[in-house]
Amino acid sequence: MSGFLRGSRALFSAARSATTTNISPAATKKASSTAEAASKPLKKGKEKKPSVSGIMRTTPISPIFQSVVGVPEVSRAEAVKKLWEYIKLHNLQNPSDKREIFCDAKLKKLFDGKDKVGFLEIGKLLKPHFVKTG
């Protein structure tokens, strides 16, 4: 163990001496020119728009789901977020078991007439309400 500490002392002393030495003006000029090059924008050509895919792509939804969410097109992630806002707003979460959601009239239409839904079931039950296009 003492051999390990002896080696680290040598590293610390080398680092200490490097911080106390003066840096040459040529080295600072070179460092500043590389920093300027990094801050310049890339060539102006065709700018690629980031393609939105997967759960972040907006898709049309069914009229039943539109009545709950309030918009005709939404991404899957945003749909689940808005559904949770609706559940929290109408106090539909079971207070003793937060994983369980009580369904009101709108949610019963959305979730195939079920009275209670587990939060892990929501994704599976929402799948038919996303209209496939193309």
Side-chain angles (χ1 to χ4, degrees):
M1 194 75 158
S2 64
F4 175 74
L5 294 175
R6 194 172 304 130
S8 63
R9 264 188 248 145
L11 291 174
F12 285 130
S13 66
R16 222 177 288 127
S17 66
T19 57
T20 58
T21 60
N22 292 334
I23 299 173
S24 68
T28 56
K29 186 176 181 181
K30 184 177 180 183
S32 66
S33 67
T34 56
E36 288 173 13
S39 66
K40 287 184 181 177
L42 298 175
K43 291 182 181 179
K44 288 190 177 183
K46 292 183 180 178
E47 291 183 18
K48 272 191 170 180
K49 291 182 181 178
S51 63
V52 179
S53 63
I55 63 171
M56 298 308 290
R57 180 176 16 128
T58 59
T59 56
I61 55 176
S62 69
I64 296 168
F65 198 21
Q66 286 179 19
S67 67
V68 176
V69 176
V71 291
E73 283 190 354
V74 70
S75 68
R76 289 181 183 271
E78 191 67 27
V80 173
K81 187 177 176 182
K82 288 183 181 271
L83 184 65
W84 274 104
E85 287 174 6
Y86 179 85
I87 290 168
K88 299 274 185 178
L89 180 70
H90 296 298
N91 199 20
L92 298 174
Q93 204 169 4
N94 186 351
S96 62
D97 185 9
K98 298 284 186 180
R99 298 174 296 169
E100 195 173 61
I101 292 112
F102 298 125
C103 297
D104 62 354
K106 284 184 178 181
L107 290 183
K108 278 187 183 182
K109 288 180 191 176
L110 190 65
F111 295 141
D112 299 329
K114 293 187 175 190
D115 291 328
K116 296 180 194 175
V117 174
F119 80 97
L120 293 175
E121 292 177 75
I122 290 176
K124 182 175 68 175
L125 293 170
L126 288 181
K127 187 176 180 177
H129 295 285
F130 287 96
V131 180
K132 297 211 177 199
T133 57

